[in-house]
């Protein structure tokens, strides 16, 4: 369950999974600590996403995948 | 009025005042920073960003137990709530392509654009230093606006594996960004 914190922070969980994870988060000090640590990561990734995806019709954000 | 009902009404009213007070405090504490933060992910669409902030604070108010948390944890949680609202909105817009218009370019409102461009280079570099497995799941989920389940299907691996790799990948990314001085 703890590993869900990254997916939760990034907002890539399904709706039911979000609810499930939040119930866990309410009582898990470890996940609360990791949530705080990871909170800034999505905006850093956004910097990349927005700078690379200036044109809306071509969403793949970077060309590093083979 | 019967005494029981009178008592109940009184309690409800004070609960409402309490709720109003809490939401006002939320706006005061988090409204400004949250709006600045959300604007970055709405492509500087101010109206959309304001709606997102409002919806975020309403949802926060509905989970008032979490508002007892320490401020830095509340903030981290509010960011996740706001992010989901933005992602949902973006998904809705993308299924109605006629509504996708280029965001208005407002140079005055984006004074940090060169800072962001610099950050983008650092983040791209950090991603390249990750293992293939870690980079792949970050790319196939967040960077392409896909959920864990969708990415799992595309990558042909179980959702639990995507989730787990994402966790270790994000932790590794955070350490790299910290070393480069762009993450807290």
């Amino acid at each position: 369950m703890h590993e869900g914190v990254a997916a939760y922070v990034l907002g890539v969980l399904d709706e039911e999974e979000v609810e499930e994870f939040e119930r866990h988060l309410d009582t898990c000090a470890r996940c609360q600590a990791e949530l705080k640590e990871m909170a800034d990561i999505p905006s850093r990734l956004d910097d990349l996403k927005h700078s690379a995806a200036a044109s809306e019709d071509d969403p793949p954000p970077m060309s590093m995948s083979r | 009025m019967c005494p029981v009902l009178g008592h109940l009404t009184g309690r409800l009213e004070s609960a409402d005042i309490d709720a109003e007070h809490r939401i006002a405090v939320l706006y005061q504490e988090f409204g400004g920073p949250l709006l600045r933060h959300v604007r970055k992910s709405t492509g500087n669409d101010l109206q959309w960003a304001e709606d997102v902030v409002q919806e975020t604070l309403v949802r926060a108010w509905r989970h008032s137990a979490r508002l007892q948390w320490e401020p830095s944890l509340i903030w981290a949680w509010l960011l996740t709530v706001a992010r989901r609202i933005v992602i949902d909105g973006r998904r809705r817009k993308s299924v109605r392509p006629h509504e996708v218009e280029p965001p208005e370019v407002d140079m005055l409102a984006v004074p940090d654009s060169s800072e962001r461009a610099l950050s983008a280079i650092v983040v791209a570099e950090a991603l390249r230093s990750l293992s293939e497995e870690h980079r792949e799941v970050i790319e196939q989920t967040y960077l392409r606006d896909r959920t864990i389940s969708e990415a799992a299907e595309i990558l042909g691996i179980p959702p639990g594996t995507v989730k787990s790799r994402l966790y270790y990948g994000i932790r590794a990314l955070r350490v790299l960004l910290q070393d480069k001085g762009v993450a807290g």
Side-chain angles (χ1 to χ4, degrees):
Chain A
M1 187 44 106
H2 302 302
E3 290 180 355
V5 67
Y8 174 72
V9 167
L10 294 176
V12 296
L13 290 174
D14 295 334
E15 226 168 287
E16 313 86 74
E17 289 179 303
V18 168
E19 284 173 25
E20 194 187 344
F21 182 79
E22 285 193 332
R23 277 195 297 274
H24 168 75
L25 181 69
D26 282 338
T27 58
C28 180
R30 172 181 157 184
C31 284
Q32 292 180 0
E34 290 206 288
L35 170 61
K36 283 193 286 180
E37 285 174 9
M38 292 180 174
D40 191 42
I41 294 292
S43 24
R44 294 288 73 78
L45 288 171
D46 283 346
D47 291 340
L48 176 67
K49 215 169 168 178
H50 296 311
S51 77
S55 65
E56 277 280 333
D57 45 21
D58 188 22
M62 51 184 174
S63 52
M64 55 177 57
S65 60
R66 283 172 235 164
Chain B
M1 193 189 291
C2 84
V4 174
L5 258 186
H7 177 64
L8 196 64
T9 312
R11 269 174 60 196
L12 282 178
E13 273 168 4
S14 78
D16 279 350
I17 290 164
D18 192 41
E20 252 175 58
H21 175 70
R22 271 164 191 264
I23 221 161
V25 169
L26 271 179
Y27 259 106
Q28 213 173 355
E29 290 283 308
F30 299 107
L34 202 52
L35 184 63
R36 277 193 291 282
H37 190 91
V38 169
R39 273 185 89 167
K40 290 186 189 171
S41 45
T42 58
N44 220 28
D45 181 332
L46 185 59
Q47 178 62 54
W48 184 14
E50 280 172 349
D51 291 347
V52 170
V53 168
Q54 193 168 349
E55 174 67 20
T56 302
L57 294 179
V58 167
R59 287 194 200 180
W61 169 73
R62 282 199 208 118
H63 293 277
S64 52
R66 291 184 188 133
L67 301 175
Q68 313 296 323
W69 285 345
E70 50 160 322
S72 63
L73 182 56
I74 296 178
W75 173 247
W77 173 59
L78 289 178
L79 292 185
T80 70
V81 175
R83 183 159 303 110
R84 284 197 303 277
I85 296 168
V86 170
I87 291 172
D88 284 352
R90 205 182 291 142
R91 285 180 167 223
R92 267 197 298 277
K93 284 186 186 198
S94 73
V95 296
R96 287 174 297 177
H98 60 281
E99 284 192 15
V100 178
E101 286 161 21
E104 270 178 50
V105 181
D106 180 355
M107 295 312 284
L108 283 176
V110 279
D112 60 341
S113 59
S114 64
E115 202 178 296
R116 285 176 80 185
L118 191 66
S119 168
I121 294 167
V122 175
V123 175
E125 239 175 56
L127 280 170
R128 271 193 292 270
S129 325
L130 293 179
S131 73
E132 176 74 33
E133 281 185 351
H134 287 164
R135 181 171 61 241
E136 184 179 62
V137 291
I138 295 173
E139 205 181 316
Q140 292 296 335
T141 57
Y142 190 71
L143 292 177
R144 288 178 192 253
D145 292 328
R146 290 191 189 119
T147 63
I148 294 271
S149 324
E150 290 165 346
E153 207 164 308
I154 286 161
L155 294 169
I157 53 178
T161 307
V162 178
K163 207 184 278 183
S164 172
R165 284 183 188 171
L166 197 54
Y167 173 73
Y168 290 102
I170 289 296
R171 273 173 58 132
L173 180 67
R174 178 169 172 268
V175 171
L176 286 167
L177 292 179
Q178 246 178 342
D179 289 348
K180 293 166 193 280
V182 288

